[in-house]
Each structure stands twice: as structure tokens, then as C-alpha cells.
Amino acid sequence: MPSESGQKTLIKAFFYGTLKRNEPNHDQLKNLNVTFLSEAITVEKYPLIIASDYNIPFLLNKKGYGKNINGELYLIDEEAKKFLDEFEGVHENLYTDMFIDVVDKKTNQVQRVCAYLLNNYKHDLLDENTILFENYSSINPYHKTYEKHNDMPENSNIVYTAVKEF
């Protein structure tokens, strides 16, 4: 929605997983009004895990536990935000869009940005065997390759039941 001055509202967003540059879903951003700003790192620690049969990265909403997460800072417009909410399953209650603090690595300034975190996750996702990541890469010796072809809306129920607490 344009502001009173007629300009579109822009939002800063933090991407830590498959939407980053050189990752499998970055192409989802190509027709959206998104601008890469900088690499960034979370101020607080969070658990970043790989879960589900499709090897999806999830940032769990457990601030203070885990590692400082490396990702990318983008400027997005409201249309891009609506698309990303749909893409990330916000309306299906998979992810929650939240504001977190990150350090912009270009300016070394703390920025309050939108990120997609998993609430109400199954607690066994954080057992003694869970590998916590600080930087996601779809090609990694510690987990199987992300299955983009299976991580589709028609399979969202499979993902949901694998990670969410009922």
C-alpha cells in the first residue's frame, strides 16, 4: 500500500536459508521488488536446523539458544512481503514473520528486520543429536541435499507434521 507521499513501503528482511544468493529458492525472488543490501548476522543466538524429509532449514524461535546466524539482508516491498508470507507458509501457521535484530556486515549497524521463524516446533527437533548451523548451505556434508522439487505447497502438510507441535 503506498504511503501518503505515494511511495511504496519498504521493509528490511533477513534471509538465512534457501532464499539466499546461490541457494535453490533464490530464483523465487527474480520477479519481485527485492534488493540485496548486505550480508548480516543475528545479534541474538538462535537454533538453525535442517529438518523434514525434504531437508529444509528452519530457524527456531528460541532466542538465546544456538548460534549467531549468518544470512542476507534485503529491502523488499509489500508485494514481495505478501509473496514471501505465502511462500513461507505464514497463513498455514508454518512460519511466523517476526522482527529480529541483525548486524549489517557492510555498515556494522544493528538493524531491526523481518525474518521467518518456526514457533511451536516439536521439542525433539532439539535433541542431543541435533546439529546447529550458523550458516546454511544446501550442499553440506552434515545433511542431505535440500529437496526443492518436493518442498511444494501440495506437500506442506508433510512438512508441517514433521516439525510442528500440535
Side-chain angles (χ1 to χ4, degrees):
M1 139 180 16
S3 66
E4 288 182 22
S5 65
Q7 295 184 349
K8 288 185 177 182
T9 302
L10 298 175
I11 304 162
K12 288 184 180 174
F14 178 71
F15 300 152
Y16 57 84
T18 64
L19 289 169
K20 294 189 313 183
R21 294 170 301 160
N22 302 313
E23 292 299 339
N25 286 322
H26 185 74
D27 64 339
Q28 297 290 324
L29 306 175
K30 69 182 171 193
N31 294 322
L32 301 173
N33 185 11
V34 300
T35 304
F36 172 79
L37 297 175
S38 174
E39 293 183 354
I41 188 167
T42 59
V43 171
E44 299 285 342
K45 293 179 179 182
Y46 291 92
L48 175 60
I49 65 166
I50 310 301
S52 86
D53 290 342
Y54 308 137
N55 307 304
I56 300 170
F58 293 97
L59 190 59
L60 306 182
N61 187 14
K62 188 169 183 171
K63 186 167 37 173
Y65 181 88
K67 300 183 179 193
N68 298 92
I69 307 303
N70 289 284
E72 297 177 347
L73 188 57
Y74 286 80
L75 196 60
I76 65 174
D77 68 5
E78 288 182 354
E79 287 179 38
K81 175 71 169 72
K82 286 178 187 174
F83 171 84
L84 291 165
D85 285 354
E86 183 72 26
F87 182 78
E88 298 291 3
V90 170
H91 304 296
E92 287 83 35
N93 199 29
L94 180 58
Y95 284 100
T96 302
D97 58 333
M98 305 177 63
F99 283 95
I100 64 170
D101 292 327
V102 300
V103 176
D104 179 329
K105 289 185 177 181
K106 190 183 293 181
T107 65
N108 210 29
Q109 298 292 310
V110 174
Q111 304 281 331
R112 190 120 179 106
V113 300
C114 179
Y116 293 93
L117 281 73
L118 188 66
N119 280 323
N120 303 319
Y121 52 87
K122 289 184 176 181
H123 293 286
D124 64 354
L125 292 175
L126 286 178
D127 66 20
E128 65 275 359
N129 297 317
T130 302
I131 299 172
L132 300 177
F133 295 88
E134 59 190 33
N135 192 16
Y136 173 78
S137 173
S138 57
I139 300 170
N140 188 305
Y142 300 105
H143 62 80
K144 294 179 182 174
T145 303
Y146 169 71
E147 294 190 27
K148 179 178 180 175
H149 62 282
N150 284 321
D151 185 15
M152 303 303 241
E154 59 268 19
N155 292 333
S156 63
N157 195 42
I158 294 169
V159 173
Y160 190 91
T161 57
V163 298
K164 295 291 277 190
E165 195 71 62
F166 292 100

